[in-house]
């Protein structure tokens, strides 16, 4: 077996004003992807206009606003403090990790006790979290019904809920249920036909409706206790009714539930907590989820009525006095619902960390009271806020919003050991790797499949326009089984007959195919023409930076090849003869797509470079990126962050720009790109490369010249199945070689192919 040389992937250090040299990247085995050193950039916070810096540095200011630290290298260490006991009311819990509530549309459509639903939550519980909270998936209220988009079950029985809760408990975790009110409709609600999602707030409620909702919530908690749930969480954050009472921005009532005092703002939540305790007993734990600090991301800076940390400290004292047993602290924006539980999206823009999705950018030293942990791409972003609130109460306090100890074990170990938090809440990383906590406890961090924070898992749009909810790195996500893209169970079944399998290409598709085939018991040989594994993960990491953990994903795959005994043959381009000599029973081709080209020649004043090479090329001040797939947009953001003037010309329609990115990444990044000067030209083509300009035929049919010193070719890749023509054994083509799109679809197709062997 060939030895695989391990190496980290390059970091876009231009964001902190320094540059990684091509030689440094070459030492990591990635010289082909090494970015050229950008010009020296001014220090963060400098007044660029006043100091007379050139236009390039003015445009680069966004990249200097929220500088990020270097990601910590993966270390096989442990976090012993996370695996110590703690108490939530009368409930003694074995460790400090709690699975926060989240729903999986498509899976719950099979029913509360549907096989995929039960398997998923059973595996989460077996994964080691002390409490597994589920989302509010059943219609438990007598007086109110959620809008259809929320998708709650109206037909349920005690037996359904009992079986669901018992499944979690049988697999080793306490069963928790989050009681949420997002999507409820009250008598004063006036629907907006243009809105994507709508929810009532406290201003829509009559006095009778307030009392009915309080009574319904108390009764729902009693139902859950009767059905075996160990605890409940009151969601008083985000778009839930409790938050709207607590917010001076939303609450304009003049009755006892108005915003006049802290007591009146918390009255709704406190009456629910007291009522649950009276109905269910003092020993039935109740957790309350709140926005720890709020900020106006829609009209940035206009936050006079938004809740501060100091206000929350006073209100949390009252919530504790009402009988709450623990507090769950998350981020509190107003304009983007998804950011209320995925605040790390604010860091998804290469060079525009702090992007709001409204064409503006936070300054994390000023906005959010300067209290967010904003130096590690959103990792642990709410910890300082939760730690401050903890000072005001005596009940346990935990934080959520991208809590991923594997990314910085030393930091997370210190949170519990140092008394900053009592517990942490996790969601996405635990669904990406069900065994995350076992691997963390055992010091096998390099074996943890990473969450790449791509947000394909939440209300995404595939290339065919259909909604998906799939995980990019874990193909065995519930949605893939619902749609029939994968068969079998979450874990692939052992092969009935071991085969000799050859996989060609060590990009994400080839690595996943090799991993699953070897896991099933096949003998696998993986051929890669380069000197290292990873394929386009190298490019993606270099151009995107560390936010999406793609270097970690690459190293995870490399480690899996070692653990599973895959014979990795590097520096070898597999041919039909090479494969024939291996005498395989089956071949999986993951050779990647073929780059398309404009077929236009460069001139003295305008050079033409391919996207694979643009980071090492001489790039002029005025750049035209041709293409609008995810790689093209990533390249445009990279160049924008270095102060370049960027235009994007694409034959595609405007609505498909960023194809391959998740819906939410597009939502957050593209408005800010436009605000920083990127011009998108949809349904257009470059028809000529001139001396310092290009001629573009626009959607209107006219031709016009735009300034351009460099053209970056980033056209959609083409399928690449030519090698299959010379093979006589069982052959399947996967990933971009079959259907170029993105990392997630490549991994899914490879997983499906390996399961079918």
């Amino acid at each position: 077996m060939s030895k695989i040389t391990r190496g980290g992937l390059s970091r876009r250090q231009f964001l902190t004003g320094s540059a990684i040299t091509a030689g440094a990247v070459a030492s990591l085995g990635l010289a082909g992807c090494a970015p050229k050193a950008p010009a020296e950039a001014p220090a963060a916070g400098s007044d660029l206009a006043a100091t007379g810096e050139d236009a390039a540095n003015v445009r680069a200011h966004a990249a200097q606003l929220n500088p990020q630290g270097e990601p910590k290298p993966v270390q096989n260490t442990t976090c012993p403090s996370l695996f110590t006991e703690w108490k939530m009311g009368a409930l003694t819990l074995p460790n400090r990790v709690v699975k926060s509530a989240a729903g999986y549309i498509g899976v719950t459509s099979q029913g509360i006790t549907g096989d995929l639903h039960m398997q998923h939550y059973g595996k989460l519980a077996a994964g080691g979290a002390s409490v597994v909270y589920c989302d509010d998936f059943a219609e438990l209220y007598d007086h109110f019904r959620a809008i259809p988009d929320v998708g709650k079950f109206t037909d349920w029985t005690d037996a359904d809920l009992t079986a669901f809760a018992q499944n979690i408990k049988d697999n080793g975790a306490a069963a928790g249920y989050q009681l949420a009110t997002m999507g409820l409709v009250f008598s004063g609600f006036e629907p907006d036909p243009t809105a994507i999602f709508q929810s009532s707030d406290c201003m829509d409620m009559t006095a009778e409706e307030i009392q009915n909702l309080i009574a319904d919530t108390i009764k729902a908690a009693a139902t859950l206790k009767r059905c075996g749930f160990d605890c409940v969480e009151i969601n008083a954050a985000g778009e839930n009714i409790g938050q709207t009472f607590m917010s001076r921005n939303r609450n304009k009532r003049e009755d006892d539930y108005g915003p006049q005092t802290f007591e009146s703002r918390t009255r709704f939540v406190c009456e629910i907590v007291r009522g649950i305790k009276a109905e269910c007993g003092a020993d039935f734990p109740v957790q309350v989820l709140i926005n720890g600090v709020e900020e106006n991301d829609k009209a940035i800076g206009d936050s006079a009525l938004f809740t501060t940390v100091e206000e929350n400290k006073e209100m949390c004292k009252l919530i504790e006095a009402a009988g709450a047993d623990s507090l769950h602290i998350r981020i509190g924006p107003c304009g983007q619902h998804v950011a209320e539980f995925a605040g790390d999206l604010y860091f998804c823009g290469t060079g525009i960390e702090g992007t709001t999705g409204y064409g503006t950018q936070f300054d994390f030293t000023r906005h959010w009271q300067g209290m967010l942990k904003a130096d590690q791409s959103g990792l642990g972003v709410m910890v300082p806020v939760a730690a401050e609130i903890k000072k005001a109460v005596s009940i346990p306090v935990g934080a959520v919003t991208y809590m991923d100890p594997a990314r910085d074990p030393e930091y997370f170990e210190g949170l519990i050991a140092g008394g900053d938090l009592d517990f942490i809440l996790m969601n996405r990383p635990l669904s990406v790797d069900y065994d995350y906590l076992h691997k963390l406890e055992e010091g096998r961090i390099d074996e943890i499949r990473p969450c790449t924070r791509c947000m394909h898992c939440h209300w995404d749009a595939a290339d065919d326009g259909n909604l998906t909810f799939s995980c990019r790195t874990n193909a065995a996500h519930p949605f893939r089984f619902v749609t029939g893209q994968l068969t079998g169970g979450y874990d692939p079944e052992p092969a009935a007959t071991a085969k000799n399998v050859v996989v060609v290409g060590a990009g994400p598709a080839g690595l996943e195919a090799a991993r699953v085939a070897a896991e099933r018991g096949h003998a696998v040989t993986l051929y890669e023409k380069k000197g290292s594994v990873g394929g386009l993960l190298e490019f993606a990491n270099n151009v995107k930076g560390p936010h999406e953990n793609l270097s970690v994903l690459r190293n995870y795959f490399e480690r899996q090849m070692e653990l599973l005994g895959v014979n990795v043959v590097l520096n070898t381009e597999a041919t039909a003869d090479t494969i024939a000599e291996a005498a395989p029973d089956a071949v999986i081709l993951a050779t990647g797509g073929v780059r398309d080209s404009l077929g236009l020649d460069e001139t003295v004043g305008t050079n033409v470079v391919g996207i694979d090479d643009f980071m090492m090329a001489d790039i002029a001040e005025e750049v035209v990126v041709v293409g609008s797939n995810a790689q093209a947009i990533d390249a445009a953001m990279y160049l924008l962050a270095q102060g370049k003037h960027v235009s994007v010309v694409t034959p595609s329609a405007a609505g498909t720009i960023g194809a391959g990115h998740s819906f939410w990444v597009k939502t957050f990044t593209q408005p800010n790109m436009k605000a920083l000067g990127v011009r998108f030209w949809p349904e257009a083509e470059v028809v000529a490369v001139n001396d310092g300009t290009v001629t573009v035929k626009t959607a209107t049919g006219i031709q016009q010249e735009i300034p351009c010193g460099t053209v970056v070719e980033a056209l959609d890749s083409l399928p690449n199945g030519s090698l299959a023509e010379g093979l006589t054994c069982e052959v399947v083509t996967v990933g971009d070689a079959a259907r170029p799109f993105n990392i997630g679809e490549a991994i899914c197709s490879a997983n499906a192919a390996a399961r079918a062997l």
Side-chain angles (χ1 to χ4, degrees):
M1 173 177 172
S2 296
K3 180 180 178 181
I4 306 176
T5 303
R6 180 177 297 280
L9 299 181
S10 70
R11 158 82 166 100
R12 50 181 170 87
Q13 290 182 315
F14 60 84
L15 294 184
T16 55
S18 61
I20 189 166
T21 65
V25 179
S27 71
L28 303 179
L30 306 176
C33 293
K36 286 183 67 69
E40 185 76 15
S46 61
D47 188 344
L48 300 175
T51 57
E53 295 290 342
D54 63 25
N57 282 339
V58 172
R59 292 194 298 277
H61 178 60
Q64 301 299 316
L65 191 57
N66 298 302
Q68 301 296 297
E70 288 297 311
K72 301 291 182 66
V74 173
Q75 299 181 38
N76 281 333
T77 183
T78 60
C79 296
S81 292
L82 286 177
F83 297 94
T84 58
E85 284 188 352
W86 65 291
K87 292 182 71 67
M88 180 172 62
L91 194 62
T92 300
L93 298 166
N95 63 60
R96 308 298 184 110
V97 181
V98 171
K99 164 65 175 67
S100 61
Y104 291 91
I105 298 174
V107 178
T108 51
S109 67
Q110 295 189 333
I112 292 174
T113 57
D115 186 52
L116 288 176
H117 199 214
M118 296 285 275
Q119 279 191 53
H120 175 66
Y121 276 95
K123 289 181 74 65
L124 286 170
S130 60
V131 185
V132 172
Y133 281 101
C134 63
D135 65 311
D136 195 354
F137 54 65
E139 290 279 19
L140 298 174
Y141 298 148
D142 289 339
H143 295 88
F144 308 99
R145 288 291 180 267
I147 58 176
D149 289 348
V150 176
K152 291 185 179 181
F153 296 116
T154 55
D155 297 321
W156 57 269
T157 65
D158 276 18
D160 292 331
L161 292 174
T162 300
F164 181 85
Q166 193 61 46
N167 175 49
I168 292 174
K169 294 159 76 168
D170 287 346
N171 281 285
Y177 192 105
Q178 182 188 90
L179 289 164
T181 53
M182 188 178 75
L184 295 187
V185 176
F186 304 105
S187 58
F189 180 64
E190 297 182 4
D192 177 0
T194 66
I196 296 175
F197 177 83
Q198 302 178 70
S199 186
S200 282
D201 64 28
C202 66
M203 297 305 296
D204 301 322
M205 303 178 72
T206 65
E208 181 181 10
E209 286 173 326
I210 292 175
Q211 296 308 311
N212 284 340
L213 184 54
I214 291 172
D216 282 0
T217 306
I218 294 167
K219 182 179 178 182
T223 297
L224 294 166
K225 181 186 179 185
R226 182 176 71 243
C227 293
F229 283 87
D230 297 295
C231 53
V232 294
E233 176 177 78
I234 306 303
N235 190 336
E239 302 304 309
N240 289 275
I241 297 303
Q243 187 278 334
T244 71
F245 278 106
M246 294 170 67
S247 167
R248 292 191 302 146
N249 177 60
R250 303 180 74 170
N251 187 352
K252 311 298 181 186
R253 299 181 70 93
E254 296 180 353
D255 57 13
D256 289 344
Y257 295 89
Q260 296 83 4
T261 66
F262 294 128
E263 288 79 4
S264 60
R265 290 166 67 179
T266 58
R267 191 180 309 280
F268 175 80
V269 172
C270 288
E271 288 183 354
I272 288 175
V273 173
R274 283 192 289 267
I276 292 174
K277 289 292 184 175
E279 181 70 23
C280 299
D283 60 348
F284 185 66
V286 178
Q287 179 167 285
V288 177
L289 165 60
I290 68 164
N291 293 345
V293 61
E294 295 181 344
E295 187 71 45
N296 191 341
D297 60 347
K298 190 171 185 178
I300 193 167
D302 185 11
S303 300
L305 296 177
F306 282 65
T307 306
T308 67
V309 175
E310 291 74 19
E311 291 174 65
N312 270 326
K313 290 170 73 173
E314 295 303 313
M315 290 190 286
C316 285
K317 291 176 185 177
L318 297 170
I319 293 171
E320 177 184 12
D325 296 287
S326 57
L327 294 171
H328 172 181
I329 309 300
R330 80 177 188 193
I331 196 167
C334 76
Q336 293 277 13
H337 169 59
V338 68
E340 293 166 356
F341 55 85
D344 48 315
L345 275 167
Y346 291 135
F347 298 83
C348 70
T350 303
I352 45 176
E353 282 82 358
T355 174
T356 67
Y358 291 98
T360 54
Q361 187 179 15
F362 288 125
D363 178 347
F364 288 121
T365 68
R366 303 286 296 169
H367 299 116
W368 304 96
Q369 297 181 248
M371 289 193 66
L372 300 188
K373 184 180 183 297
D375 63 336
Q376 285 185 279
S377 197
L379 180 66
V381 67
M382 285 300 293
V383 167
V385 173
E388 185 62 26
I389 290 174
K390 177 174 162 56
K391 296 176 182 178
V393 297
S394 60
I395 56 177
V397 175
V400 77
T401 309
Y402 195 59
M403 304 292 276
D404 191 348
R407 303 286 65 82
D408 192 345
E410 182 180 2
Y411 173 74
F412 280 89
E413 167 63 15
L415 295 182
I416 306 300
D420 292 324
L421 297 178
D422 297 292
F423 61 103
I424 68 171
L425 297 111
M426 300 173 63
N427 179 35
R428 284 168 285 166
L430 298 184
S431 295
V432 173
D433 191 330
Y434 291 116
D435 291 324
Y436 182 114
L437 294 179
H438 296 313
K439 294 174 182 177
L440 178 66
E441 187 174 17
E442 296 165 9
R444 298 185 288 129
I445 291 178
D446 63 349
E447 297 178 30
I448 295 174
R449 177 169 37 217
C451 170
T452 60
R453 306 201 278 177
C454 55
M455 292 305 294
H456 288 290
C457 58
H458 183 259
W459 200 61
D460 195 21
D463 59 337
D464 59 5
N466 292 319
L467 288 180
T468 68
F469 303 87
S470 56
C471 177
R472 175 201 257 171
T473 63
N474 181 8
H477 180 278
F479 183 82
R480 299 290 193 184
F481 295 99
V482 172
T483 59
Q485 293 168 287
L486 292 186
T487 58
Y490 290 119
D491 298 316
E493 297 176 357
T497 303
K499 295 181 178 181
N500 179 20
V501 178
V502 164
V503 179
V504 182
L511 290 164
E512 176 73 354
R515 183 190 70 81
V516 175
E519 186 177 297
R520 296 186 62 218
H522 297 302
V524 181
T525 299
L526 174 62
Y527 289 98
E528 170 54 48
K529 64 182 179 181
K530 295 182 180 178
S532 62
V533 302
L536 287 178
L537 290 176
E538 299 174 358
F539 168 85
N541 181 80
N542 287 334
V543 73
K544 289 173 178 287
H547 175 79
E548 295 185 18
N549 296 321
L550 293 176
S551 65
V552 182
L553 177 61
R554 179 262 192 192
N555 290 341
Y556 158 80
F557 274 128
E558 185 181 69
R559 177 64 173 145
Q560 292 300 304
M561 299 302 100
E562 297 168 0
L563 291 172
L564 294 167
V566 174
N567 180 25
V568 180
V569 183
L570 301 176
N571 298 304
T572 301
E573 183 168 5
T575 63
D577 291 340
T578 306
I579 295 171
E581 290 177 9
D585 299 305
V587 176
I588 298 177
L589 297 181
T591 49
V594 177
R595 294 293 192 190
D596 201 0
S597 173
L598 292 170
L600 299 174
D601 296 326
E602 62 185 24
T603 64
V604 173
T606 301
N607 61 327
V608 179
V609 300
I611 192 169
D612 291 328
D613 305 315
F614 89 97
M615 284 182 285
M616 294 189 66
D618 290 321
I619 303 295
E621 194 74 5
E622 302 283 347
V623 186
V624 170
V625 175
V626 182
S628 58
N629 52 55
Q631 294 174 9
I633 300 305
D634 288 338
M637 278 193 283
Y638 178 98
L639 293 166
L640 178 67
Q642 297 186 71
K644 305 298 183 182
H645 271 154
V646 182
S647 298
V648 175
V649 177
T650 175
S652 302
T656 64
I657 290 174
H661 280 160
S662 71
F663 173 87
W664 292 116
V665 166
K666 289 186 284 188
T667 298
F668 274 74
T669 57
Q670 290 186 22
N672 290 64
M673 294 175 68
K674 294 171 184 175
L676 291 169
V678 175
R679 172 66 186 266
F680 292 99
W681 297 88
E683 300 178 60
E685 61 177 322
V686 174
V687 295
V689 177
N690 311 312
D691 191 6
T693 67
V694 294
T695 302
V696 176
K697 183 179 180 181
T698 73
T700 65
I702 67 167
Q703 294 189 7
Q704 65 184 75
E705 289 190 31
I706 61 175
C708 177
T710 299
V711 174
V712 177
E713 291 186 313
L715 300 169
D716 292 348
S717 292
L718 304 174
N720 178 21
S722 58
L723 184 56
E725 297 173 3
L727 303 178
T728 57
C729 59
E730 177 186 355
V731 180
V732 60
T733 305
V734 300
D736 284 356
R739 182 171 168 268
F741 190 55
N742 63 17
I743 295 169
E745 294 304 311
I747 287 176
C748 180
S749 67
N751 189 295
R755 285 169 178 257
L757 292 176

